[in-house]
């Protein structure tokens, strides 16, 4: 086992440090902003009826997501190891038990499972780069764009090829280490993505259906205000909103903990978390505002599912001047965003293999990457050959998604807040967060009471009501 105790008593990370506070914020933002914002948020909001879901999602982000993220970063920075070793180390150090390492282990597993399907969808975006560049969507109707999508996902060999390509790209970056390349990619990608989303928003506003989209996303049905049976928000949708908050912020599985391990001592955890949460939520809202007006303008179904973005955005680009160019750039950026998130998904597992089995980073990455690729084939087939093989929540893809986003991440978040709020002593957390009065107190109330009770309440209600 490697040691990371420096001579002055402070721990240092075995994998290097971020070059600056900005570099850390960019890396965490890069991990947070991804398919979850642009692909997943709109389709889940669509499936769960819009407004009421969006409101619950936003509440979850602020009251649960924010304290969980802060807890993860502070635990990561204090332990400065991979999530499994950090939880074990701090568990003992804080006078509890080394068994807390299981929280880290569950995170490692969640990361592997999420990336297995994430890479498949990221593969779709790669294919859409090529399709866009070839002009396939220029002037295309909703029907043509829809046919493109279904014939593409129906071709399992092609989808498997794209999945393979994306996993190879991810393995390549992760094998090279933390700092090199990653910061540069994010520094350029997030602002560029934001600009293109604004362009899409402009288009959407001119579609004549912007009001429809706005209402769909933000108006709460009367039935929900009066809490009657007719309200479309079920406990399942509340759980989906909670799961989406975890997924989109990359929390609950140790990815942010792993990044926190590389964070310099003097950086403000509250400041960094606020910046990341704001950027991430804005991009998701923009994606929704760009997509829903197009859905209504073209008579599409908001509840169309995972294909929603791939069936609406090409349509918008297809009708714009310069659409071939913008559409290509958009899917390139989306693939980039997925790439920087995939790196975060793999990091806990790789860091664990490297430290636990004394492997080189390259070896660890290839072993874990190969495993993820293999599991991902289940999701590749979920949209074609095995599309009709349904159990529990649906296809293999649906089940892996449900199990990870809606169960493992919230459970991880619950344990992380209990650890930071109840197991770690006040001095340790105050030391990391800076004990400056109100902010620290607010975090402590959220982490000790509101977040854990909120998560438990939703999990219990969702399980017992279905
Ligand atoms: N937050 C990413 C997204 O919204 O696409 C997904 C993700 C990345 C989840 C990294 C978890 C993680 F560790």
């Amino acid at each position: 086992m490697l040691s990371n105790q420096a001579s002055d008593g402070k721990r240092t990370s075995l994998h290097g440090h971020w070059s600056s506070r900005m570099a850390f914020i960019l890396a965490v933002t890069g991990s947070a902003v991804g398919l979850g914002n642009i692909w997943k948020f709109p389709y889940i909001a669509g499936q769960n009826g819009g407004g009421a879901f969006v409101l619950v999602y936003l509440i979850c982000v602020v009251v649960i997501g924010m304290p969980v993220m802060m807890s993860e970063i502070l635990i990561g920075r204090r332990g400065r190891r991979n999530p499994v070793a950090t939880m074990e180390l701090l568990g003992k150090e804080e006078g509890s038990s080394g068994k807390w390492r299981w929280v880290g282990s569950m995170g490692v597993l969640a990361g592997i499972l999420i990336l297995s399907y994430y890479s498949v969808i990221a593969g779709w975006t790669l294919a859409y780069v090529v399709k866009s560049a070839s002009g396939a969507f220029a002037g295309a109707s909703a029907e043509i764009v829809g046919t493109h999508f279904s014939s593409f996902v129906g071709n399992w060999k092609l989808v498997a090829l794209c999945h393979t390509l994306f996993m190879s790209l991810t393995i390549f970056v992760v094998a090279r280490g933390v700092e090199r390349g990653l910061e540069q990619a994010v520094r350029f990608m997030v602002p560029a993505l934001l600009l293109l989303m604004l362009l899409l928003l402009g288009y959407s506003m001119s579609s004549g259906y912007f009001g429809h989209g706005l209402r769909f996303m933000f108006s709460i049905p009367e039935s929900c205000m009066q809490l009657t049976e007719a309200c479309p928000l079920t406990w399942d949708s509340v759980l989906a909103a909670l799961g989406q908050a975890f997924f989109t912020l990359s929390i609950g599985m140790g990815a942010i903990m792993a990044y926190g391990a590389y964070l310099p001592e003097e950086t403000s955890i509250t400041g960094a978390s606020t910046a990341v949460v704001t950027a991430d939520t804005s991009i998701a809202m923009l994606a929704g505002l760009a997509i829903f007006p197009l859905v209504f303008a073209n008579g599409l179904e908001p509840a169309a599912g995972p294909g929603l973005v791939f069936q609406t955005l090409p349509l918008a680009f297809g009708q714009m001047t310069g659409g071939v160019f913008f559409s290509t750039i958009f899917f390139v950026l989306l693939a980039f965003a997925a790439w920087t998130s995939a790196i975060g998904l793999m990091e806990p597992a790789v860091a664990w293999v490297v430290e636990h089995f004394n492997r080189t980073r390259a070896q660890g990455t290839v072993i874990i990457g190969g495993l993820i690729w293999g599991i991902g084939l289940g999701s590749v087939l979920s949209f074609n050959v095995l599309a009709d093989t349904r159990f529990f929540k649906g296809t293999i893809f649906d089940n892996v998604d449900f199990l990870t986003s809606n169960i493992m991440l919230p459970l991880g978040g619950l344990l992380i807040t209990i650890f930071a709020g109840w197991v770690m002593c006040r001095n340790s957390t105050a030391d990391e967060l800076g004990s400056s009065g109100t902010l620290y107190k607010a975090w402590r109330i959220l982490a000790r009471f509101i977040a854990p009770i909120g998560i438990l309440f939703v999990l219990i209600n969702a399980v017992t009501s279905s």
Side-chain angles (χ1 to χ4, degrees):
M1 205 38 82
L2 302 162
S3 156
N4 63 341
Q5 199 80 30
S7 51
D8 60 359
K10 282 279 181 195
R11 270 177 221 114
T12 53
S13 160
L14 302 167
H15 306 267
H17 281 273
W18 301 107
S19 60
S20 66
R21 169 189 132 91
M22 197 54 196
F24 173 77
I25 293 183
L26 283 170
V28 179
T29 310
S31 157
V33 175
L35 296 173
N37 307 61
I38 293 166
W39 160 74
K40 201 171 182 195
F41 170 72
Y43 98 72
I44 302 235
Q47 280 177 333
N48 288 283
F53 171 91
V54 175
L55 179 69
V56 176
Y57 159 80
L58 289 173
I59 295 174
C60 289
V61 164
V62 178
V63 239
I64 298 178
M66 189 71 189
V68 173
M69 178 174 280
M70 290 171 67
S71 307
E72 256 194 54
I73 302 177
L74 84 85
I75 294 172
R77 182 163 75 181
R78 206 155 179 86
R80 293 226 186 271
R81 308 279 293 264
N82 72 72
V84 182
T86 286
M87 290 303 293
E88 179 170 3
L89 182 74
L90 295 188
K92 287 184 189 151
E93 192 172 274
E94 298 286 340
S96 177
S97 141
K99 291 218 170 64
W100 282 99
R101 71 172 172 278
W102 287 106
V103 176
S105 309
M106 185 170 75
V108 167
L109 184 65
I112 290 174
L113 290 175
I114 294 177
L115 187 50
S116 79
Y117 76 79
Y118 201 84
S119 162
V120 175
I121 312 296
W124 294 3
T125 66
L126 290 179
Y128 269 62
V129 171
V130 179
K131 276 180 186 292
S132 300
S134 72
F137 303 125
S141 64
E143 209 186 326
I144 293 180
V145 174
T147 313
H148 261 291
F149 178 73
S150 38
S151 63
F152 166 63
V153 295
N155 182 345
W156 75 267
K157 287 186 188 150
L158 196 54
V159 177
L161 181 74
C162 296
H163 163 56
T164 310
L165 191 62
F166 184 80
M167 267 323 289
S168 314
L169 289 170
T170 305
I171 291 173
F172 176 72
V173 181
V174 176
R176 281 164 55 100
V178 193
E179 260 172 294
R180 268 178 291 168
L182 189 60
E183 290 178 29
Q184 291 311 324
V186 184
R187 201 177 284 272
F188 140 88
M189 183 203 80
V190 175
L193 200 57
L194 205 64
L195 273 181
L196 270 185
M197 293 308 300
L198 287 172
L199 175 79
L200 276 171
L201 180 70
Y203 178 82
S204 219
M205 286 174 125
S206 69
S207 69
Y209 281 79
F210 191 66
H212 276 69
L214 209 59
R215 236 170 295 133
F216 181 75
M217 263 184 78
F218 295 113
S219 81
I220 318 278
E222 263 311 290
S223 54
C224 295
M225 306 281 270
Q226 289 159 4
L227 295 175
T228 62
E229 289 280 314
C231 171
L233 201 71
T234 58
W235 277 109
D236 263 349
S237 353
V238 176
L239 180 62
L242 179 70
Q244 174 61 14
F246 274 86
F247 184 88
T248 193
L249 297 175
S250 308
I251 51 178
M253 53 153 281
I256 301 291
M257 203 185 281
Y259 280 12
Y262 316 130
L263 185 64
E265 212 58 47
E266 59 286 351
T267 307
S268 151
I269 292 180
T270 317
S273 306
T274 312
V276 173
V277 170
T278 311
D280 187 80
T281 311
S282 318
I283 293 192
M285 291 300 117
L286 270 179
L289 285 176
I291 285 164
F292 287 116
L294 297 172
V295 167
F296 297 115
N298 293 285
L300 300 169
E301 208 17 81
L308 187 67
V309 172
F310 294 91
Q311 285 166 315
T312 45
L313 295 188
L315 194 61
F317 285 123
Q319 286 155 17
M320 269 180 210
T321 3
V324 172
F325 173 76
F326 287 127
S327 177
T328 311
I329 299 284
F330 175 81
F331 283 109
V332 167
L333 286 172
L334 191 55
F336 253 110
W339 200 18
T340 52
S341 299
I343 294 162
L345 281 162
M346 243 182 126
E347 187 61 34
V350 171
W352 174 68
V353 170
V354 169
E355 286 175 38
H356 198 76
F357 298 104
N358 248 323
R359 295 272 159 189
T360 63
R361 204 172 160 85
Q363 286 169 336
T365 314
V366 171
I367 296 169
I368 293 291
L371 178 71
I372 293 173
W373 176 83
I375 303 175
L377 294 178
S379 290
V380 166
L381 300 177
S382 296
F383 296 93
N384 34 65
V385 183
L386 298 180
D388 295 324
T389 310
R390 293 173 169 267
F391 53 99
F392 190 44
K393 294 286 167 186
T395 59
I396 298 177
F397 159 80
D398 293 323
N399 280 295
V400 177
D401 179 31
F402 178 82
L403 179 72
T404 50
S405 305
N406 295 11
I407 306 292
M408 292 172 86
L409 298 187
L411 210 56
L414 172 71
L415 294 169
I416 286 167
T417 47
I418 291 180
F419 187 79
W422 294 93
V423 175
M424 289 180 80
C425 67
R426 209 192 156 96
N427 284 348
S428 311
T429 49
D431 193 26
E432 293 297 331
L433 290 180
S435 51
S436 65
T438 338
L439 269 182
Y440 177 73
K441 279 196 200 110
W443 169 79
R444 210 164 140 85
I445 292 173
L446 288 170
R448 280 166 77 92
F449 303 103
I450 315 280
I453 293 173
I455 298 170
L456 257 185
F457 189 68
V458 176
L459 277 176
I460 291 173
N461 271 300
V463 169
T464 52
S465 73
S466 58

